[in-house]
Amino acid sequence: MLETPAYAAATSSSALAPHTIQRREAGPHDVLIDILYCGVCHSDIHQVRNEWGGSIFPMVPGHEIVGQVARVGSQVSKWQVGDTVGVGCFIDSCRDCGPCREGEEQYCEQGMNVTYNGYERDGKTPTYGGYSTRITVDENYVLRIPQGMPLDRTAPLLCAGITTYSPLRHFGVKQGDRVAVVGLGGLGHMGVKIASAMGARVTVLSHSPGKRDEALRLGAEDFMVTSDPQVFKDKAARFDFILDTVSAQHDYNAYLGLLRRDGTMVLVGMPEPTALSAGPLVMQRRRLAGSLIGGIRETQEMLDFCAEHKVAADVEVIPIDRINAAYERVVKSDVRYRFVIDIASLQDA
Ligand code: NAP
Ligand code: ZN
Ligand code: ZN
């Protein structure tokens, strides 16, 4: 086993602190990756604080991983030492069910094996994420980072990028569609960039008035502050598609009223439950759906799309010892727009 420096939460009420984990040596089908950067997703905070229940401790979060292949197993065919690669939200799945065969491993019928706060396929070895210096992963669950991408700004694509790209693609958002992105955080700002790159006309709906200029700079053509109830009247029945990335509880019914007939609202944010009325759905045959990250094939497609369109996250790179303060700022919607940990800071922590 490989002794590996990491940052972990010991319990749901502890701050993250230095910790050591054991990584396995690269088996025949594995690659061992030296981690360079890891993004900080709001899901890290939900899970560290056990806001979804069932958290496993000690927890080493992090599922927006970019690094370099350090070793490859004897049977590995896809990767070579030195390749720049990514690891996203899962590191394995059953590989045999319908969703796995269709490249939608995130919907694996046996449950995907998440990158942290889960178990390997044996059901008992805990998984640890990217707030660590290296990770060992089966070669089929590794992504290729296209040449020339800025690595710190690419890490967030592995979750925030694919989580917004996948529903935009799946629900067929196209050139000229009117798209609203709700919440301008890590996911939201990627949603704005990707939907704009797809040719959509994007409006940001935000509870932070100060984000207007930024929203326009990121590619939105309009910005509305949702704390003003008038917005929900002015903008009624105007959007083809709404991507809701909000991490805190809010009234879905109000947002549904902003969809035109047959429009679709997709939830990707995962806050506490909220009551839903039939009315706004029934009245204009609107649809409400959800979407979970994306499969390996689609994640690679997203990375290639972002390379082609020069899309990357706007990030604040931090040393790992600033992680607890960073969490506080994320919770206050005070990040422009993703914290990314420089893992070199962990080597000497
Ligand atoms: P984030 O960076 O914290 O962004 C969330 C945004 O929600 C904030 O920037 C803020 O935008 C808005 N918001 C926060 N509190 C609010 C409040 N009280 N009222 C109204 N709006 C509020 O988080 P993230 O990393 O983008 O993640 C967003 C959510 O997606 C989290 O729940 C996360 O767990 C979930 N997630 C889901 C998937 C999936 O596969 N479905 C994948 C990754 C993450 P404004 O300031 O613009 O209002
Ligand atoms: Zn995430
Ligand atoms: Zn499966």
Side-chain angles (χ1 to χ4, degrees):
M1 297 299 269
L2 303 165
E3 198 154 286
T4 301
Y7 251 54
T11 71
S12 62
S13 55
S14 5
L16 290 158
H19 182 70
T20 302
I21 55 172
Q22 304 296 324
R23 294 292 194 193
R24 66 176 186 273
E25 287 281 5
H29 301 282
D30 289 334
V31 296
L32 176 68
I33 299 165
D34 286 334
I35 301 175
L36 297 170
Y37 294 102
C38 184
V40 177
C41 180
H42 205 117
S43 302
D44 300 350
I45 304 173
H46 288 311
Q47 292 176 89
V48 160
R49 299 184 177 177
N50 199 19
E51 289 169 1
W52 296 339
S55 284
I56 303 163
F57 295 98
M59 186 189 300
V60 177
H63 59 204
E64 294 184 334
I65 298 168
V66 166
Q68 212 161 35
V69 174
R71 283 208 276 282
V72 296
S74 55
Q75 308 287 313
V76 167
S77 59
K78 295 183 177 160
W79 311 105
Q80 292 183 344
V81 170
D83 284 349
T84 305
V85 294
V87 178
C89 300
F90 57 93
I91 44 85
D92 215 334
S93 63
C94 88
R95 309 178 189 205
D96 196 35
C97 69
C100 281
R101 285 176 182 274
E102 287 163 30
E104 304 231 73
E105 301 91 347
Q106 73 278 28
Y107 303 119
C108 175
E109 288 168 4
Q110 292 184 23
M112 63 175 162
N113 300 89
V114 290
T115 302
Y116 70 88
N117 194 26
Y119 296 100
E120 305 267 356
R121 296 257 11 112
D122 66 8
K124 54 182 191 224
T125 308
T127 54
Y128 297 117
Y131 298 8
S132 62
T133 58
R134 56 190 167 201
I135 187 167
T136 314
V137 184
D138 183 283
E139 67 165 332
N140 293 306
Y141 293 79
V142 173
L143 287 311
R144 184 174 303 282
I145 306 299
Q147 239 181 355
M149 292 187 88
L151 300 187
D152 50 352
R153 299 181 57 211
T154 295
L157 301 184
L158 276 305
C159 175
I162 185 59
T163 300
T164 50
Y165 180 89
S166 183
L168 289 165
R169 266 278 176 269
H170 181 79
F171 292 95
V173 168
K174 56 186 188 311
Q175 183 91 26
D177 280 358
R178 287 177 181 266
V179 169
V181 174
V182 189
L184 194 64
L187 266 57
H189 97 292
M190 288 311 309
V192 171
K193 290 186 183 212
I194 292 172
S196 304
M198 290 175 176
R201 302 178 59 185
V202 181
T203 297
V204 169
L205 302 173
S206 169
H207 85 311
S208 306
K211 292 182 182 174
R212 172 182 295 276
D213 291 348
E214 295 272 302
L216 302 181
R217 179 183 63 79
L218 292 166
E221 63 170 35
D222 202 359
F223 177 89
M224 307 295 295
V225 181
T226 51
S227 48
D228 173 6
Q230 190 61 32
V231 162
F232 293 94
K233 294 192 178 124
D234 291 350
K235 295 280 164 179
R238 106 169 15 211
F239 297 110
D240 300 293
F241 187 85
I242 299 177
L243 184 65
D244 184 339
T245 75
V246 174
S247 54
Q249 204 174 38
H250 58 294
D251 180 14
Y252 299 135
N253 305 291
Y255 292 89
L256 283 167
L258 303 178
L259 286 174
R260 66 162 181 70
R261 178 168 58 88
D262 292 326
T264 302
M265 172 157 130
V266 174
L267 307 181
V268 291
M270 297 183 67
E272 309 287 301
T274 304
L276 192 64
S277 306
L281 291 167
V282 167
M283 295 317 285
Q284 293 292 327
R285 198 164 53 193
R286 298 171 173 121
R287 287 174 290 198
L288 179 63
S291 185
L292 179 65
I293 50 175
I296 294 292
R297 191 167 59 217
E298 194 175 47
T299 305
Q300 190 63 58
E301 178 189 307
M302 176 276 309
L303 286 166
D304 297 342
F305 174 93
C306 288
E308 185 191 334
H309 292 269
K310 303 232 177 311
V311 169
D314 285 25
V315 301
E316 270 188 61
V317 178
I318 54 164
I320 195 137
D321 61 8
R322 295 231 329 259
I323 188 66
N324 293 301
Y327 275 18
E328 292 309 321
R329 283 187 47 202
V330 172
V331 170
K332 283 191 248 154
S333 306
D334 174 29
V335 48
R336 304 282 190 280
Y337 280 89
R338 199 59 143 184
F339 285 111
V340 171
I341 304 164
D342 180 354
I343 296 297
S345 64
L346 187 51
Q347 303 282 6
D348 7 277

